[in-house]
Amino acid sequence: MEYILKENNDGSVITVKDVHNVLLEMLKDIDIICRKNDIPYFLNGGSALGAVRHKGFIPWDDDADIAMMREDYLKFIDVLKRELPDKYVFHCFETNKKYNPLIPAMKIRKKGTYIKETNTLLENRIKECDGIFVDVFVYDYCSNNKIIDLPFRLFNYLLMPLIVLFDNLHINPILLKTLFVQNAIFYGKINKNSKYIGFDLCWTFKSPLKPFIFKKDEIYPIQYVDFEDTKLPIANKPHEYLCMAIAKSYNTLPPIEKRNPKHIVDIRL
C-alpha cells in the first residue's frame, strides 16, 4: 500500500516510502560514524519495532529514532562537530540554547529538505534548517525504586509545561531548560552503579508512574539485524525491550484504519 504524504502542484506525490529512502541514507551515514568512533547506539521505539517485525521501516511510519547512553551521546556530539557530512546539520541543547530539550535530545537534519511536524507546541526554533530528521534519544542509569525515582521525575514533569508555555510565547527559558537537563544528568550520576537504564528524565511524555525502565542487559550489548538493504543495531533482548517500549502485543499489526503516518503536516524533498 502507498501512503501519500503530499500531492504537489504538478500532480506528483511524496509518499512515506520516499521519506524512508531519505531516512535510510541518513541512518547508514550515522552508523558509519558510530562504528568508526566506537559509539554504541540502537534503534529506538518504532524504528526498533520495524526492524523486528518488518525487517525495516514500519510501512506507514514517517520518522526514525535512535538512542544511546549519555556518555556515548556526549562523545557523539564531539564527533559530529568534526565528522558529520556537510549535507547534514545537528541540533541539540548542548550546542544551541534555542533547542528545546523536551523533544528528543538531538535532531540530525538533512539540508535541502523541509518538514513541518504535526506537533506545533514543540516547533523547531532553530531556523537554520527544518529538514527531515533522525531523532536521537538519551538513555541513562536510573533506579527501579519508585521512592528514589519519582521525585526526580516529577521535578521535570512540573518544569515541562512551563518550558512549553514560555517557548510558545517566544521567550527562551534558558534557566528552566538548564534546570530540566541538569536534573536528568544528576539523576543519572547518582544511579551510576544501577543495573537499570531508561529514557533520561528529559523525556516527559509518558506517565511518571510507568516510566521506560529496562535492565541494562536487555539492551546491551547491541546486536545488528537486517534492516531494509542493510543491517542496523537493536537491543540485545528485543522481545523484552519491545514489551516495555511498545507493548506486549507488539507483534500484532494495528487495524488498517490506524496504519497512518502521524508526524508530518508538510514536506519537501
Side-chain angles (χ1 to χ4, degrees):
M1 181 174 176
E2 192 174 65
Y3 297 91
I4 297 175
L5 294 170
K6 181 180 181 180
E7 184 170 341
N8 297 311
N9 292 333
D10 62 2
S12 63
V13 297
I14 298 175
T15 67
V16 171
K17 183 63 178 176
D18 294 323
V19 175
H20 287 173
N21 291 337
V22 176
L23 291 173
L24 184 61
E25 173 195 9
M26 296 179 72
L27 289 170
K28 288 177 178 178
D29 289 338
I30 292 168
D31 187 67
I32 289 171
I33 292 172
C34 288
R35 283 185 186 243
K36 176 184 175 184
N37 292 280
D38 193 25
I39 299 173
Y41 78 99
F42 54 96
L43 297 178
N44 192 56
S47 296
L49 175 59
V52 172
R53 196 172 67 190
H54 303 272
K55 297 190 182 302
F57 293 103
I58 297 173
W60 54 90
D61 193 12
D62 54 3
D63 73 346
D65 302 325
I66 66 172
M68 58 187 67
M69 293 295 291
R70 183 173 301 282
E71 58 263 38
D72 298 314
Y73 171 72
L74 295 176
K75 181 180 178 181
F76 190 50
I77 292 174
D78 289 336
V79 168
L80 291 182
K81 291 176 182 177
R82 305 188 307 268
E83 299 186 18
L84 187 66
D86 188 57
K87 59 185 173 179
Y88 303 124
V89 65
F90 75 96
H91 297 154
C92 61
F93 185 68
E94 288 78 6
T95 60
N96 191 323
K97 299 308 179 190
K98 292 181 181 178
Y99 189 83
N100 193 334
L102 291 173
I103 59 181
M106 177 190 292
K107 287 182 181 288
I108 301 173
R109 294 182 178 270
K110 185 172 183 182
K111 296 177 183 178
T113 66
Y114 169 79
I115 190 169
K116 182 178 181 181
E117 295 184 76
T118 304
N119 191 341
T120 56
L121 286 178
L122 296 172
E123 185 179 344
N124 176 30
R125 302 299 179 196
I126 305 177
K127 296 308 179 183
E128 167 197 19
C129 180
D130 271 319
I132 291 176
F133 56 84
V134 172
D135 280 327
V136 182
F137 288 81
V138 170
Y139 278 50
D140 211 339
Y141 294 96
C142 56
S143 172
N144 201 35
N145 184 333
K146 280 189 169 52
I147 295 175
I148 297 173
D149 180 81
L150 194 56
F152 288 94
R153 204 169 291 278
L154 286 176
F155 182 81
N156 272 14
Y157 270 80
L158 292 173
L159 284 179
M160 182 257 283
L162 293 174
I163 294 173
V164 171
L165 173 63
F166 283 110
D167 189 63
N168 281 278
L169 291 172
H170 297 277
I171 300 170
N172 188 11
I174 296 177
L175 177 59
L176 294 179
K177 290 179 178 179
T178 302
L179 284 171
F180 187 79
V181 172
Q182 289 300 318
N183 180 54
I185 292 172
F186 179 69
Y187 179 71
K189 286 182 177 178
I190 66 171
N191 288 291
K192 186 70 176 180
N193 296 320
S194 173
K195 65 179 181 180
Y196 294 96
I197 62 174
F199 283 57
D200 84 330
L201 298 192
C202 292
W203 188 248
T204 52
F205 301 99
K206 183 173 171 60
S207 168
L209 298 175
K210 295 181 179 180
F212 289 113
I213 293 180
F214 311 86
K215 290 182 178 178
K216 189 175 182 182
D217 67 5
E218 290 175 348
I219 296 179
Y220 293 98
I222 58 167
Q223 58 170 319
Y224 274 76
V225 299
D226 291 336
F227 192 95
E228 302 295 340
D229 63 356
T230 188
K231 288 183 179 292
L232 292 175
I234 64 169
N236 178 42
K237 298 178 181 178
H239 173 71
E240 288 79 358
Y241 171 79
L242 290 171
C243 282
M244 170 59 71
I246 304 297
K248 291 182 179 179
S249 59
Y250 67 86
N251 252 326
T252 302
L253 290 172
I256 293 176
E257 63 271 15
K258 292 189 177 181
R259 300 178 196 176
N260 299 307
K262 60 182 180 179
H263 297 100
I264 299 174
V265 172
D266 191 17
I267 187 169
R268 291 195 301 271
L269 299 181

